[in-house]
Amino acid sequence: MPYLGLVLTSLGFLVPGWVAWRRGQPRSPGCALDTLSSVLVATTSVFYHGTLHPVAQRIDIVVAHGMGVLSVGRSLF
């Protein structure tokens, strides 16, 4: 049974992407990267919490942790 609450809160991952898109310069690679990464995390999270399939879980874990590591790296350098 899918977790409707987690599906809805996973859509919150789209907010940083929307903010990056609105604040970014036209055709800025950083803006596009932030927006796409936000959409990717939201999509995998909604897919996993909506289906609870083990493959979807693995994909969501890899994407979420990968984006987290990249974000820490970007903030340090």
Side-chain angles (χ1 to χ4, degrees):
M1 179 175 202
Y3 296 127
L4 184 59
L6 289 175
V7 169
L8 293 175
T9 57
S10 294
L11 293 173
F13 289 124
L14 294 173
V15 173
W18 181 76
V19 171
W21 184 259
R22 298 283 296 158
R23 290 189 178 182
Q25 299 296 323
R27 297 184 214 128
S28 168
C31 166
L33 181 62
D34 289 341
T35 302
L36 289 175
S37 64
S38 177
V39 169
L40 179 64
V41 169
T43 302
T44 60
S45 184
V46 167
F47 179 60
Y48 167 59
H49 293 300
T51 63
L52 297 178
H53 194 275
V55 173
Q57 179 186 23
R58 301 277 188 226
I59 293 170
D60 185 44
I61 288 171
V62 168
V63 169
H65 287 89
M67 291 297 171
V69 168
L70 289 175
S71 295
V72 169
R74 280 181 61 189
S75 69
L76 293 176
F77 300 105

